[in-house]
Amino acid sequence: DQLIVLCSWMPMGVDWTADIRANGADEIILIGECDDGNCGDNWFTWGNAEFRDNMEEVEGGNSLLVPYRSDGYQRHDLDDLSKMQFSRFDSSVSRNSKTVSFRK
């Protein structure tokens, strides 16, 4: 059996993925704006280094390691699904909503 968690439009600045990973999810599928948008935490959820605290050292490790990678997950941008999404912030010239999978 596999545990797959689907989360749509996680609140901005909040990261649920650390708890989901810690509880053994095999895959996490996130829908919404990623990397520098309105969903989740730009560093802890998405691993965007531009939002990492530069001097922060994590107990027992190095803060330079993307949080999901330190938990053994790989990121997969699901571009074919993202093309079919449309959010209130999207337009014909700008698409912000995406679907991203994090898998062990």
Side-chain angles (χ1 to χ4, degrees):
D1 291 338
Q2 287 192 327
L3 176 58
I4 300 171
V5 177
L6 175 64
C7 178
S8 179
W9 290 87
M10 187 182 326
M12 185 168 100
V14 175
D15 177 57
W16 294 336
T17 63
D19 288 334
I20 295 168
R21 292 190 307 267
N23 283 289
D26 297 295
E27 181 175 7
I28 305 164
I29 300 171
L30 301 179
I31 300 169
E33 292 186 4
C34 65
D35 299 315
D36 60 0
N38 289 329
C39 297
D41 182 273
N42 294 320
W43 168 245
F44 292 108
T45 304
W46 305 105
N48 184 343
E50 292 180 20
F51 293 90
R52 178 181 56 83
D53 289 337
N54 291 329
M55 302 308 289
E56 176 184 298
E57 282 296 321
V58 176
E59 185 176 325
N62 188 330
S63 65
L64 296 177
L65 189 59
V66 175
Y68 62 82
R69 285 193 183 154
S70 68
D71 290 339
Y73 289 77
Q74 294 293 318
R75 177 179 169 157
H76 304 273
D77 289 20
L78 304 178
D79 294 331
D80 288 340
L81 289 175
S82 296
K83 290 176 190 175
M84 294 186 280
Q85 293 174 212
F86 195 76
S87 78
R88 66 185 180 135
F89 301 110
D90 291 340
S91 70
S92 61
V93 295
S94 175
R95 305 284 303 198
N96 294 314
S97 183
K98 306 218 182 289
T99 300
V100 179
S101 170
F102 297 88
R103 299 179 205 144
K104 278 190 170 183

